[in-house]
PDB file of all heavy atoms in Angstrom:
ATOM      1  N   HIS H 370     -11.056  63.405  29.691  1.00  0.00           N
ATOM      2  CA  HIS H 370     -11.912  64.573  29.462  1.00  0.00           C
ATOM      3  C   HIS H 370     -13.428  64.049  29.342  1.00  0.00           C
ATOM      4  O   HIS H 370     -14.325  64.595  29.935  1.00  0.00           O
ATOM      5  CB  HIS H 370     -11.575  65.318  28.220  1.00  0.00           C
ATOM      6  CG  HIS H 370     -10.435  66.297  28.401  1.00  0.00           C
ATOM      7  ND1 HIS H 370     -10.625  67.356  29.233  1.00  0.00           N
ATOM      8  CD2 HIS H 370      -9.211  66.349  27.900  1.00  0.00           C
ATOM      9  CE1 HIS H 370      -9.503  68.078  29.200  1.00  0.00           C
ATOM     10  NE2 HIS H 370      -8.669  67.493  28.352  1.00  0.00           N
ATOM     11  N   LEU H 371     -13.516  62.911  28.595  1.00  0.00           N
ATOM     12  CA  LEU H 371     -14.903  62.349  28.557  1.00  0.00           C
ATOM     13  C   LEU H 371     -15.369  61.831  29.826  1.00  0.00           C
ATOM     14  O   LEU H 371     -16.549  62.026  30.250  1.00  0.00           O
ATOM     15  CB  LEU H 371     -14.788  61.174  27.520  1.00  0.00           C
ATOM     16  CG  LEU H 371     -16.155  60.356  27.218  1.00  0.00           C
ATOM     17  CD1 LEU H 371     -17.226  61.401  26.684  1.00  0.00           C
ATOM     18  CD2 LEU H 371     -16.014  59.230  26.253  1.00  0.00           C
ATOM     19  N   GLN H 372     -14.501  61.146  30.702  1.00  0.00           N
ATOM     20  CA  GLN H 372     -14.913  60.639  31.934  1.00  0.00           C
ATOM     21  C   GLN H 372     -15.294  61.881  32.881  1.00  0.00           C
ATOM     22  O   GLN H 372     -16.161  61.699  33.663  1.00  0.00           O
ATOM     23  CB  GLN H 372     -13.742  59.923  32.623  1.00  0.00           C
ATOM     24  CG  GLN H 372     -14.070  59.351  33.962  1.00  0.00           C
ATOM     25  CD  GLN H 372     -12.984  58.425  34.538  1.00  0.00           C
ATOM     26  OE1 GLN H 372     -13.005  57.219  34.383  1.00  0.00           O
ATOM     27  NE2 GLN H 372     -11.921  59.005  35.163  1.00  0.00           N
ATOM     28  N   GLN H 373     -14.537  62.964  32.804  1.00  0.00           N
ATOM     29  CA  GLN H 373     -14.815  64.099  33.713  1.00  0.00           C
ATOM     30  C   GLN H 373     -16.133  64.845  33.246  1.00  0.00           C
ATOM     31  O   GLN H 373     -16.775  65.392  34.070  1.00  0.00           O
ATOM     32  CB  GLN H 373     -13.612  64.980  33.641  1.00  0.00           C
ATOM     33  CG  GLN H 373     -13.790  66.163  34.692  1.00  0.00           C
ATOM     34  CD  GLN H 373     -12.577  67.020  34.584  1.00  0.00           C
ATOM     35  OE1 GLN H 373     -12.172  67.497  33.618  1.00  0.00           O
ATOM     36  NE2 GLN H 373     -11.981  67.411  35.835  1.00  0.00           N
ATOM     37  N   SER H 374     -16.283  64.969  31.916  1.00  0.00           N
ATOM     38  CA  SER H 374     -17.455  65.809  31.502  1.00  0.00           C
ATOM     39  C   SER H 374     -18.730  65.070  31.352  1.00  0.00           C
ATOM     40  O   SER H 374     -19.778  65.763  31.338  1.00  0.00           O
ATOM     41  CB  SER H 374     -17.047  66.505  30.127  1.00  0.00           C
ATOM     42  OG  SER H 374     -16.759  65.355  29.116  1.00  0.00           O
ATOM     43  N   HIS H 375     -18.710  63.776  31.296  1.00  0.00           N
ATOM     44  CA  HIS H 375     -19.963  63.039  31.209  1.00  0.00           C
ATOM     45  C   HIS H 375     -20.090  61.973  32.347  1.00  0.00           C
ATOM     46  O   HIS H 375     -19.147  61.354  32.665  1.00  0.00           O
ATOM     47  CB  HIS H 375     -19.964  62.265  29.815  1.00  0.00           C
ATOM     48  CG  HIS H 375     -20.132  63.173  28.625  1.00  0.00           C
ATOM     49  ND1 HIS H 375     -19.120  63.939  28.165  1.00  0.00           N
ATOM     50  CD2 HIS H 375     -21.261  63.402  27.875  1.00  0.00           C
ATOM     51  CE1 HIS H 375     -19.459  64.680  27.106  1.00  0.00           C
ATOM     52  NE2 HIS H 375     -20.831  64.368  26.889  1.00  0.00           N
ATOM     53  N   PRO H 376     -21.313  61.921  32.972  1.00  0.00           N
ATOM     54  CA  PRO H 376     -21.418  61.018  34.030  1.00  0.00           C
ATOM     55  C   PRO H 376     -21.432  59.547  33.495  1.00  0.00           C
ATOM     56  O   PRO H 376     -21.712  59.271  32.404  1.00  0.00           O
ATOM     57  CB  PRO H 376     -22.758  61.324  34.636  1.00  0.00           C
ATOM     58  CG  PRO H 376     -23.555  61.993  33.501  1.00  0.00           C
ATOM     59  CD  PRO H 376     -22.487  62.713  32.689  1.00  0.00           C
ATOM     60  N   SER H 377     -21.170  58.665  34.424  1.00  0.00           N
ATOM     61  CA  SER H 377     -21.275  57.223  34.076  1.00  0.00           C
ATOM     62  C   SER H 377     -22.822  56.864  33.867  1.00  0.00           C
ATOM     63  O   SER H 377     -23.670  57.661  34.357  1.00  0.00           O
ATOM     64  CB  SER H 377     -20.801  56.347  35.214  1.00  0.00           C
ATOM     65  OG  SER H 377     -21.630  56.508  36.402  1.00  0.00           O
ATOM     66  N   PRO H 378     -23.151  55.773  33.174  1.00  0.00           N
ATOM     67  CA  PRO H 378     -24.479  55.501  32.969  1.00  0.00           C
ATOM     68  C   PRO H 378     -25.345  55.381  34.328  1.00  0.00           C
ATOM     69  O   PRO H 378     -26.494  55.777  34.296  1.00  0.00           O
ATOM     70  CB  PRO H 378     -24.409  54.115  32.256  1.00  0.00           C
ATOM     71  CG  PRO H 378     -23.193  54.144  31.541  1.00  0.00           C
ATOM     72  CD  PRO H 378     -22.220  54.881  32.466  1.00  0.00           C
ATOM     73  N   ASP H 379     -24.692  54.826  35.307  1.00  0.00           N
ATOM     74  CA  ASP H 379     -25.320  54.680  36.637  1.00  0.00           C
ATOM     75  C   ASP H 379     -25.662  56.071  37.135  1.00  0.00           C
ATOM     76  O   ASP H 379     -26.870  56.329  37.667  1.00  0.00           O
ATOM     77  CB  ASP H 379     -24.421  53.956  37.597  1.00  0.00           C
ATOM     78  CG  ASP H 379     -24.174  52.434  37.119  1.00  0.00           C
ATOM     79  OD1 ASP H 379     -24.148  52.264  35.889  1.00  0.00           O
ATOM     80  OD2 ASP H 379     -23.898  51.703  37.932  1.00  0.00           O
ATOM     81  N   VAL H 380     -24.771  56.947  37.123  1.00  0.00           N
ATOM     82  CA  VAL H 380     -24.972  58.268  37.680  1.00  0.00           C
ATOM     83  C   VAL H 380     -26.017  59.066  36.834  1.00  0.00           C
ATOM     84  O   VAL H 380     -26.844  59.852  37.402  1.00  0.00           O
ATOM     85  CB  VAL H 380     -23.626  59.123  37.848  1.00  0.00           C
ATOM     86  CG1 VAL H 380     -23.891  60.560  38.199  1.00  0.00           C
ATOM     87  CG2 VAL H 380     -22.753  58.441  38.880  1.00  0.00           C
ATOM     88  N   ALA H 381     -25.914  58.832  35.511  1.00  0.00           N
ATOM     89  CA  ALA H 381     -26.977  59.543  34.637  1.00  0.00           C
ATOM     90  C   ALA H 381     -28.308  59.113  34.894  1.00  0.00           C
ATOM     91  O   ALA H 381     -29.274  59.904  34.996  1.00  0.00           O
ATOM     92  CB  ALA H 381     -26.518  59.329  33.198  1.00  0.00           C
ATOM     93  N   LEU H 382     -28.522  57.808  35.074  1.00  0.00           N
ATOM     94  CA  LEU H 382     -29.767  57.271  35.521  1.00  0.00           C
ATOM     95  C   LEU H 382     -30.266  57.925  36.839  1.00  0.00           C
ATOM     96  O   LEU H 382     -31.460  58.329  36.937  1.00  0.00           O
ATOM     97  CB  LEU H 382     -29.751  55.777  35.631  1.00  0.00           C
ATOM     98  CG  LEU H 382     -30.926  55.068  36.204  1.00  0.00           C
ATOM     99  CD1 LEU H 382     -32.181  55.340  35.279  1.00  0.00           C
ATOM    100  CD2 LEU H 382     -30.799  53.620  36.396  1.00  0.00           C
ATOM    101  N   GLY H 383     -29.437  57.915  37.800  1.00  0.00           N
ATOM    102  CA  GLY H 383     -29.767  58.558  39.130  1.00  0.00           C
ATOM    103  C   GLY H 383     -30.182  59.964  39.003  1.00  0.00           C
ATOM    104  O   GLY H 383     -31.179  60.382  39.566  1.00  0.00           O
ATOM    105  N   SER H 384     -29.514  60.712  38.174  1.00  0.00           N
ATOM    106  CA  SER H 384     -29.730  62.143  37.920  1.00  0.00           C
ATOM    107  C   SER H 384     -31.104  62.312  37.273  1.00  0.00           C
ATOM    108  O   SER H 384     -31.890  63.266  37.603  1.00  0.00           O
ATOM    109  CB  SER H 384     -28.572  62.841  37.116  1.00  0.00           C
ATOM    110  OG  SER H 384     -27.455  62.800  37.842  1.00  0.00           O
ATOM    111  N   TRP H 385     -31.403  61.482  36.303  1.00  0.00           N
ATOM    112  CA  TRP H 385     -32.589  61.543  35.509  1.00  0.00           C
ATOM    113  C   TRP H 385     -33.735  61.237  36.535  1.00  0.00           C
ATOM    114  O   TRP H 385     -34.832  62.029  36.450  1.00  0.00           O
ATOM    115  CB  TRP H 385     -32.657  60.522  34.447  1.00  0.00           C
ATOM    116  CG  TRP H 385     -33.864  60.630  33.509  1.00  0.00           C
ATOM    117  CD1 TRP H 385     -33.902  61.450  32.325  1.00  0.00           C
ATOM    118  CD2 TRP H 385     -35.025  59.889  33.583  1.00  0.00           C
ATOM    119  NE1 TRP H 385     -35.136  61.191  31.901  1.00  0.00           N
ATOM    120  CE2 TRP H 385     -35.919  60.327  32.529  1.00  0.00           C
ATOM    121  CE3 TRP H 385     -35.546  58.966  34.559  1.00  0.00           C
ATOM    122  CZ2 TRP H 385     -37.207  59.778  32.389  1.00  0.00           C
ATOM    123  CZ3 TRP H 385     -36.784  58.419  34.410  1.00  0.00           C
ATOM    124  CH2 TRP H 385     -37.655  58.866  33.316  1.00  0.00           C
ATOM    125  N   LEU H 386     -33.746  60.306  37.273  1.00  0.00           N
ATOM    126  CA  LEU H 386     -34.764  59.869  38.194  1.00  0.00           C
ATOM    127  C   LEU H 386     -34.971  61.057  39.329  1.00  0.00           C
ATOM    128  O   LEU H 386     -36.095  61.227  39.764  1.00  0.00           O
ATOM    129  CB  LEU H 386     -34.403  58.619  38.956  1.00  0.00           C
ATOM    130  CG  LEU H 386     -34.554  57.294  38.015  1.00  0.00           C
ATOM    131  CD1 LEU H 386     -33.978  56.174  38.814  1.00  0.00           C
ATOM    132  CD2 LEU H 386     -36.036  57.100  37.646  1.00  0.00           C
ATOM    133  N   ALA H 387     -33.868  61.678  39.697  1.00  0.00           N
ATOM    134  CA  ALA H 387     -33.959  62.762  40.709  1.00  0.00           C
ATOM    135  C   ALA H 387     -34.845  63.901  40.194  1.00  0.00           C
ATOM    136  O   ALA H 387     -35.375  64.634  40.902  1.00  0.00           O
ATOM    137  CB  ALA H 387     -32.506  63.172  41.155  1.00  0.00           C
ATOM    138  N   ARG H 388     -34.881  63.971  38.829  1.00  0.00           N
ATOM    139  CA  ARG H 388     -35.678  65.081  38.292  1.00  0.00           C
ATOM    140  C   ARG H 388     -37.176  64.696  38.057  1.00  0.00           C
ATOM    141  O   ARG H 388     -37.965  65.556  37.659  1.00  0.00           O
ATOM    142  CB  ARG H 388     -35.149  65.609  36.932  1.00  0.00           C
ATOM    143  CG  ARG H 388     -33.674  66.121  37.080  1.00  0.00           C
ATOM    144  CD  ARG H 388     -33.255  66.720  35.778  1.00  0.00           C
ATOM    145  NE  ARG H 388     -33.241  65.802  34.680  1.00  0.00           N
ATOM    146  CZ  ARG H 388     -32.092  65.141  34.293  1.00  0.00           C
ATOM    147  NH1 ARG H 388     -31.005  65.235  34.987  1.00  0.00           N
ATOM    148  NH2 ARG H 388     -32.097  64.317  33.291  1.00  0.00           N
ATOM    149  N   GLN H 389     -37.467  63.476  38.334  1.00  0.00           N
ATOM    150  CA  GLN H 389     -38.939  63.025  38.143  1.00  0.00           C
ATOM    151  C   GLN H 389     -39.722  63.167  39.460  1.00  0.00           C
ATOM    152  O   GLN H 389     -39.138  63.035  40.468  1.00  0.00           O
ATOM    153  CB  GLN H 389     -38.902  61.544  37.567  1.00  0.00           C
ATOM    154  CG  GLN H 389     -37.981  61.293  36.495  1.00  0.00           C
ATOM    155  CD  GLN H 389     -38.272  62.274  35.293  1.00  0.00           C
ATOM    156  OE1 GLN H 389     -39.423  62.467  34.910  1.00  0.00           O
ATOM    157  NE2 GLN H 389     -37.195  62.843  34.678  1.00  0.00           N
ATOM    158  N   PRO H 390     -41.041  63.282  39.393  1.00  0.00           N
ATOM    159  CA  PRO H 390     -41.801  63.271  40.599  1.00  0.00           C
ATOM    160  C   PRO H 390     -41.681  61.832  41.230  1.00  0.00           C
ATOM    161  O   PRO H 390     -41.924  60.837  40.564  1.00  0.00           O
ATOM    162  CB  PRO H 390     -43.200  63.501  40.106  1.00  0.00           C
ATOM    163  CG  PRO H 390     -43.065  64.163  38.724  1.00  0.00           C
ATOM    164  CD  PRO H 390     -41.833  63.557  38.161  1.00  0.00           C
ATOM    165  N   ALA H 391     -41.365  61.864  42.504  1.00  0.00           N
ATOM    166  CA  ALA H 391     -41.064  60.495  43.259  1.00  0.00           C
ATOM    167  C   ALA H 391     -42.402  59.871  43.641  1.00  0.00           C
ATOM    168  O   ALA H 391     -42.251  58.600  43.922  1.00  0.00           O
ATOM    169  CB  ALA H 391     -40.066  60.828  44.340  1.00  0.00           C
ATOM    170  N   GLU H 392     -43.473  60.558  43.837  1.00  0.00           N
ATOM    171  CA  GLU H 392     -44.605  59.909  44.410  1.00  0.00           C
ATOM    172  C   GLU H 392     -45.174  58.852  43.474  1.00  0.00           C
ATOM    173  O   GLU H 392     -45.345  59.021  42.339  1.00  0.00           O
ATOM    174  CB  GLU H 392     -45.659  61.011  44.616  1.00  0.00           C
ATOM    175  CG  GLU H 392     -46.943  60.459  45.408  1.00  0.00           C
ATOM    176  CD  GLU H 392     -47.924  61.474  45.674  1.00  0.00           C
ATOM    177  OE1 GLU H 392     -47.644  62.684  45.281  1.00  0.00           O
ATOM    178  OE2 GLU H 392     -49.030  61.234  46.222  1.00  0.00           O
TER     179      GLU H 392
END
Side-chain angles (χ1 to χ4, degrees):
H370 279 297
L371 182 61
Q372 178 174 267
Q373 187 182 49
S374 60
H375 291 73
S377 68
D379 298 27
V380 173
L382 169 63
S384 298
W385 187 89
L386 290 171
R388 297 191 297 268
Q389 311 305 312
E392 186 176 357

